[in-house]
Amino acid sequence: MGAKILEGKPIAQKIKEEVKAEVEKLKAEGVTPCLAAVQVGEDPASKSYIRSQRRSCKEVGIEYKLFTLPENTSKEELKEFIEKLNNDPSITGIILQMPLPKHIDAREAFCWIDEKKDVEGVTPANLGLIAFDMPRLAPPTALAAIRMIEETGEEVLGRETVVVGRSTIVGKPAALLLLQRKFSATVTVCHTGTSKRGKLEEHVRNAEILIAAAGQPHLIKGEWVKEGAIVVDVGMNYVEGKFVGDVEFETAKERASYITPVPGGVGPVTTAILLRNVVEAVKWQREG
Ligand code: NAD
């Protein structure tokens, strides 16, 4: 028996409808959510990402403003620019577009964003709040991975959960979110060190819930997947003209109970959750 395929589009659609209704309510109260995207230099790869951000904001009634700063913008100038946006009440969410030029350290730059406008959940404050079991603005991709698990309706409590990847925007926050009391999963985080020790397969074989976020095409073999496991594949790897996940989908789906496709799984849900975060940010700002 094959796994149930967790399609992202219907879930994303539902989230967007909820967001749209909230945006309308906020507008009726005189507040227009506005997302500011800051780009330093014009990386051709981010063009389509920016286009899709603008389109999805429009769909739900969120204003979108793109600020493109020159490639040679200094660290101090970028900091000043972000602080201006932090202090501008008409801007309610800020995205710092990647990649940044080499002379600016992304992690340092993330720290300049006001945590209440940090819709991508990239500031240390927001990551810390997840660890504190009181998340406010968590990274959309991590939230999307969790949402996929919730969609199965299966109980997570005490389940052997393996997260492959420890980045601050996916693996780490996903693991911390699953450790929250409300989920109480038993979480193992695997990373490059795990693979170097040759231990990845062993951990994956044990996983009742698997989140793959390594960015390595077909790193996880279908035969490693435990019978009946829930498999959430966050990986988006461009290989020979198409996107493939971190998990060998065709073989994994014969063993899993649920599995997300790539593309069309976690991706659309991530975009919808980013929009939801824009609304959550407005609510946080209004709390004062
Ligand atoms: P990253 O490169 O910052 O982190 C990858 C992590 O995987 C690292 O922590 C690393 O230790 C681990 N890793 C790499 N190779 C490994 C190996 N061989 N064995 C074990 N662990 C290994 O990447 P990221 O930003 O966290 O993104 C991960 C993947 O998710 C990428 O494919 C990215 O394109 C995708 N992504 C998808 C969405 C979406 O909306 N679907 C959003 C963001 C990122």
Side-chain angles (χ1 to χ4, degrees):
M1 212 189 76
K4 288 196 185 126
I5 312 296
L6 290 164
E7 296 288 351
K9 272 201 185 135
I11 305 167
Q13 198 50 41
K14 189 163 172 275
I15 298 170
K16 281 189 196 167
E17 276 157 23
E18 290 161 5
V19 172
K20 197 171 174 196
E22 293 217 54
V23 170
E24 274 163 19
K25 218 172 105 201
L26 285 169
K27 282 186 174 168
E29 291 168 20
V31 183
T32 302
C34 176
L35 178 59
V38 182
Q39 185 187 29
V40 187
E42 285 190 61
D43 181 66
S46 46
K47 258 203 183 132
S48 72
Y49 191 44
I50 287 168
R51 222 180 8 245
S52 106
Q53 278 173 3
R54 192 190 293 281
R55 197 178 43 228
S56 12
C57 280
K58 196 167 171 208
E59 248 180 89
V60 297
I62 292 173
E63 236 184 82
Y64 183 82
K65 286 187 181 162
L66 173 67
F67 298 94
T68 304
L69 308 182
E71 178 85 26
N72 62 359
T73 301
S74 71
K75 220 169 87 169
E76 292 71 26
E77 285 165 335
L78 177 62
K79 185 168 187 243
E80 213 173 288
F81 191 82
I82 292 175
E83 278 164 0
K84 212 172 78 190
L85 297 178
N86 286 342
N87 294 323
D88 180 346
S90 73
I91 301 293
T92 60
I94 300 171
I95 287 183
L96 186 54
Q97 218 72 52
M98 293 297 115
L100 291 174
K102 285 198 173 61
H103 62 278
I104 304 176
D105 178 53
R107 275 188 301 181
E108 191 182 350
F110 288 150
C111 298
W112 303 329
I113 301 172
D114 178 346
E115 67 259 30
K116 293 187 180 178
K117 296 191 178 183
D118 171 26
V119 293
E120 290 198 302
V122 292
T123 58
N126 276 315
L127 191 62
L129 283 170
I130 309 175
F132 233 63
D133 218 338
M134 45 192 292
R136 291 299 307 234
L137 292 169
T141 314
L143 287 171
I146 309 296
R147 175 64 184 256
M148 297 317 247
I149 298 168
E150 286 182 302
E151 283 291 321
T152 67
E154 297 288 328
E155 187 161 37
V156 177
L157 181 121
R159 283 279 173 85
E160 291 294 339
T161 303
V162 171
V163 179
V164 184
R166 59 171 160 192
S167 74
T168 49
I169 60 153
V170 196
K172 220 174 274 170
L176 287 172
L177 285 164
L178 286 163
L179 283 174
Q180 289 175 97
R181 275 178 197 283
K182 74 176 211 191
F183 294 117
S184 287
T186 304
V187 183
T188 302
V189 181
C190 297
H191 43 80
T192 41
T194 319
S195 284
K196 281 181 190 150
R197 274 262 167 233
K199 293 277 190 184
L200 185 63
E201 175 178 350
E202 185 183 317
H203 286 290
V204 171
R205 281 191 183 275
N206 227 2
E208 299 175 276
I209 299 171
L210 175 69
I211 298 181
Q216 299 294 325
H218 295 164
L219 171 70
I220 291 155
K221 308 299 163 215
E223 68 191 46
W224 299 358
V225 170
K226 193 180 177 79
E227 288 285 346
I230 297 169
V231 178
V232 177
D233 193 350
V234 180
M236 281 283 270
N237 311 292
Y238 197 62
V239 180
E240 290 168 2
K242 59 176 187 166
F243 282 105
V244 300
D246 288 353
V247 180
E248 274 183 355
F249 182 80
E250 289 306 324
T251 38
K253 83 175 193 316
E254 295 309 316
R255 301 173 64 85
S257 56
Y258 297 87
I259 189 166
T260 62
V262 178
V266 177
V269 180
T270 300
T271 311
I273 290 182
L274 170 70
L275 301 173
R276 195 179 71 195
N277 271 1
V278 177
V279 168
E280 291 303 316
V282 174
K283 290 186 194 163
W284 197 5
Q285 287 154 45
R286 291 179 103 197
E287 281 172 25

